[in-house]
Amino acid sequence: MAGIVIVGAGQGGLQAAISLRQEGYEGTITLIGAEDGLPYQRPPLSKAYLKSGDAEALRLRPETFFEKSDITLRSGLWVDRIDRAGRTVHAGAEVFAYDHLILATGTRNLRPPIDGVERALDLRTLDDAKKLREVLSTPQRCAVIGGGFIGLEFAAVARGLGHEVAVAEAADRLMARVVSPEMSQRFLDLHHGLGTAVHLGAAAQGVTRDAMHLADGSEVAADVVLLAAGVRPNTELAAEAGLAVDNGVVVDAQLLTGDPAISALGDCAVFPDPATGRAVRLESVQAATDHARLIARRLVKGDSDGYGAVPWFWSDQADWKLQIAGLSAPGDDTAVRADGAVFRFAGDRLSSVETINNAKTHMQTRKRLGQGPVSRAALKAADLDIAAV
Amino acid sequence: MVKVIYVAKDGTRTEVKAQVGDTVMQTALDNDVAGIVGECGGSMMCATCHCYVDDAWTDAAGPRKDGEDDMLDCAADEVKETSRLSCQIQLTPELNGLVVHLPEDQV
Ligand SMILES: Cc1cc2nc3c(=O)[nH]c(=O)nc-3n(C[C@H](O)[C@H](O)[C@H](O)COP(=O)(O)OP(=O)(O)OC[C@H]3O[C@@H](n4cnc5c(N)ncnc54)[C@H](O)[C@@H]3O)c2cc1C
Ligand code: FES
């Protein structure tokens, strides 16, 4: 028995190892990750960690856990090839044999072809966040390329620390890919209120020593530029091994690739959305860990249930906690409840609910969506009370 | 250092040493206590760190924090009066010897 090899020791890769042991797997588990040190959580990198600098608090499991659970963690090791015929992965001169391989390689920052982009900083890894904290220790004029979750979380923290902040977003609203126009507007007001300059419909075109240049020819003075314009899934290993890749490693409802000995999970995987069957790739702790649990159950217990978890997500910006339950497409309809909760619909089906500082509605939605689809007519009849349908 | 005792549904007791200032959730994960998941890392986002504080310790552990009720509403297992999110219980010297009971399911 060669055991199970997991490539990528992030949130999903680690969860796969943990869940395999919890389900009772007794073979060898080798968790290989390119980053140094122990696996850690990324969400706080743009939130609590930026403020506190407490790296200990990010750690997912202590070193002793790996010994006790008999999980071989190989940190700081880059896997450069999969040999599917021989069932081995190669990292330099080292070779690891597998019975089953789990790809959990995540994403890396997209580096768009902008002049001077090499001057811009990233926020993806602990090393990136450390660098940003160092920079923020003295007063700065910060510019952020990209008005998505990470860029806006950073902007809120930087403003909170007293820095000047400007955000440039190429789309005509903030977080356009993931939230409703109503939410985009509320967050625009929030960031304006915090004193952040927000430029919409403003593609960044260049970065120089002291400015960010926008497509309309204007420039924003900046000592520090953060690049937060999206990510690219790490699919090279899979592609070179001949596995299907389309904006991610393509897997079926069992999270299996075309090779029955290889699964993929988390940020790097494209899977059928349980609600619509549409191929989606999610970047969330929820997807990474729920994927990992399903794969472990399948490998150890032989479960053949398809993946059906309800997606959920959160973002902290200043003292607003945005929560999203479900998954919507940018064009979905919206209905706003009196308390501000935003209900989104794909045709007659409730696709997601967005809330700010309203954990109750968020949790009610997660619970309800887990029981099956909710129709718009039923929700309307119940005055948008998700607990009543 | 303080002592925390986790009692699983089947009665198994796990006694661990913990750092003052750490949470009951983090302590469980650090010591590989099965039965606490803590998916959101203590952001009060997941309710997978549900525990029942032993009757003898409810006063010392204090009341639920703002927002805990709403999250607990959706915990996977039965919610009782003693239910807490273990990520919201921070260990103090007064909690030395704390006993918490674990639910059967967290997800
Ligand atoms: C700043 C920031 C804030 C976030 N905030 C939130 C949030 O609030 N809520 C939320 O749900 N999600 C958030 N996310 C997203 C969340 O962190 C990811 O969805 C999650 O980490 C995905 O887990 P993963 O295992 O798929 O990938 P990752 O955790 O990214 O792990 C992938 C690992 O694989 C390694 N790797 C890649 N290729 C190789 C190779 N060839 N050999 C060896 N190792 C390799 C990488 O180095 C990396 O360590 C945030 C992300 C960031 C960066
Ligand atoms: S760890 Fe998520 S709510 Fe406690």
Side-chain angles (χ1 to χ4, degrees):
Chain A
M1 287 288 281
I4 295 173
V5 172
I6 304 166
V7 180
Q11 186 109 34
L14 173 65
Q15 185 63 48
I18 294 172
S19 295
L20 282 166
R21 283 289 181 246
Q22 279 172 353
E23 295 292 345
Y25 181 69
E26 287 175 352
T28 38
I29 300 177
T30 311
L31 178 60
I32 310 173
E35 290 181 76
D36 288 324
L38 295 169
Y40 60 91
Q41 340 173 26
R42 298 187 199 284
L45 294 180
S46 50
K47 308 178 181 81
Y49 174 81
L50 265 190
K51 287 182 247 177
S52 72
D54 183 1
E56 275 277 289
L58 300 176
R59 180 198 63 196
L60 285 159
R61 289 294 185 280
E63 192 147 15
T64 49
F65 171 84
F66 295 89
E67 278 161 43
K68 269 199 269 176
S69 310
D70 194 18
I71 293 165
T72 305
L73 172 67
R74 296 294 310 270
S75 303
L77 193 60
W78 176 259
V79 171
D80 37 39
R81 191 165 69 83
I82 304 169
D83 172 0
R84 284 169 57 193
R87 293 213 175 161
T88 50
V89 297
H90 298 249
E94 287 199 70
V95 181
F96 302 86
Y98 64 82
D99 298 314
H100 198 88
L101 173 65
I102 301 174
L103 297 175
T105 49
T107 58
R108 61 175 175 278
N109 252 14
L110 199 64
R111 308 244 5 140
I114 296 174
D115 285 340
V117 72
E118 66 285 349
R119 294 176 183 277
L121 299 174
D122 291 313
L123 182 45
R124 175 86 207 150
T125 65
L126 178 54
D127 283 344
D128 294 338
K130 278 185 181 153
K131 236 177 264 163
L132 281 170
R133 268 187 56 77
E134 233 170 77
V135 171
L136 292 183
S137 63
T138 54
Q140 302 287 353
R141 295 169 303 174
C142 307
V144 180
I145 301 178
F149 289 128
I150 293 175
L152 293 176
E153 287 176 2
F154 171 84
V157 172
R159 269 309 293 153
L161 295 171
H163 302 283
E164 270 181 48
V165 183
V167 175
E169 166 58 50
D172 59 3
R173 61 184 179 95
L174 296 174
M175 304 180 284
R177 208 166 46 88
V178 280
V179 303
S180 62
E182 284 76 4
M183 260 320 152
S184 297
Q185 183 60 47
R186 273 188 239 168
F187 275 86
L188 179 62
D189 295 342
L190 171 75
H191 286 278
H192 278 156
L194 294 171
T196 297
V198 181
H199 306 268
L200 293 174
Q205 212 163 44
V207 178
T208 54
R209 195 172 47 78
D210 56 7
M212 165 176 74
H213 296 262
L214 302 177
D216 67 1
S218 63
E219 66 173 62
V220 176
D223 315 304
V224 189
V225 176
L226 174 70
L227 181 61
V231 297
R232 161 175 300 211
N234 292 321
T235 54
E236 288 75 8
L237 270 184
E240 279 159 24
L243 297 169
V245 166
D246 183 6
N247 177 40
V249 182
V250 177
V251 294
D252 63 16
Q254 307 283 330
L255 306 174
L256 262 181
T257 65
D259 181 335
I262 306 180
S263 303
L265 62 74
D267 280 16
C268 75
V270 167
F271 64 100
D273 170 24
T276 61
R278 197 160 44 101
V280 292
R281 193 175 62 74
L282 299 181
E283 291 154 19
S284 70
V285 167
Q286 173 273 322
T289 52
D290 280 336
H291 284 171
R293 284 192 272 264
L294 178 126
I295 292 171
R297 279 197 304 273
R298 166 162 54 73
L299 291 177
V300 184
K301 299 266 169 70
D303 273 14
S304 59
D305 291 351
Y307 181 77
V310 176
W312 57 269
F313 196 81
W314 80 97
S315 174
D316 294 335
Q317 298 174 33
D319 53 2
W320 284 15
K321 190 178 277 277
L322 167 69
Q323 297 179 292
I324 305 168
L327 182 65
S328 293
D332 284 7
D333 288 344
T334 59
V336 183
R337 201 166 67 180
D339 67 352
V342 178
F343 290 72
R344 306 195 71 193
F345 300 95
D348 183 49
R349 181 183 58 85
L350 175 71
S351 53
S352 75
V353 177
E354 304 163 349
T355 51
I356 296 169
N357 297 341
N358 181 352
K360 185 175 193 121
T361 300
H362 172 74
M363 292 305 275
Q364 285 173 339
T365 308
R366 268 162 59 181
K367 203 170 180 177
R368 182 58 189 81
L369 286 177
Q371 294 160 2
V374 177
S375 85
R376 186 178 191 145
L379 248 186
K380 274 244 163 84
D383 282 336
L384 299 178
D385 181 358
I386 185 77
V389 292
Chain B
M1 285 296 217
V2 293
K3 200 168 72 178
V4 182
I5 298 155
Y6 298 86
V7 185
K9 190 87 180 184
D10 66 4
T12 315
R13 291 166 73 90
T14 312
E15 189 177 310
V16 305
K17 290 228 159 37
Q19 214 79 254
V20 166
D22 276 3
T23 66
V24 173
M25 183 274 289
Q26 193 56 50
T27 302
L29 296 192
D30 284 358
N31 292 282
D32 195 21
V33 176
I36 297 270
V37 176
E39 185 151 303
C40 75
S43 314
M44 242 216 266
M45 273 299 317
C46 69
T48 64
C49 62
H50 181 196
C51 72
Y52 308 107
V53 176
D54 189 85
D55 289 337
W57 289 93
T58 47
D59 283 348
R64 289 182 193 158
K65 302 224 174 101
D66 251 8
E68 252 186 273
D69 282 325
D70 293 337
M71 297 304 293
L72 281 168
D73 263 353
C74 286
D77 219 319
E78 184 198 355
V79 179
K80 304 180 192 165
E81 216 160 293
T82 55
S83 286
R84 290 290 310 271
L85 294 177
S86 60
C87 68
Q88 301 302 313
I89 308 176
Q90 213 173 21
L91 293 167
T92 57
E94 291 70 46
L95 287 175
N96 187 15
L98 173 71
V99 179
V100 298
H101 301 264
L102 303 175
E104 181 140 35
D105 294 313
Q106 293 283 10
V107 280

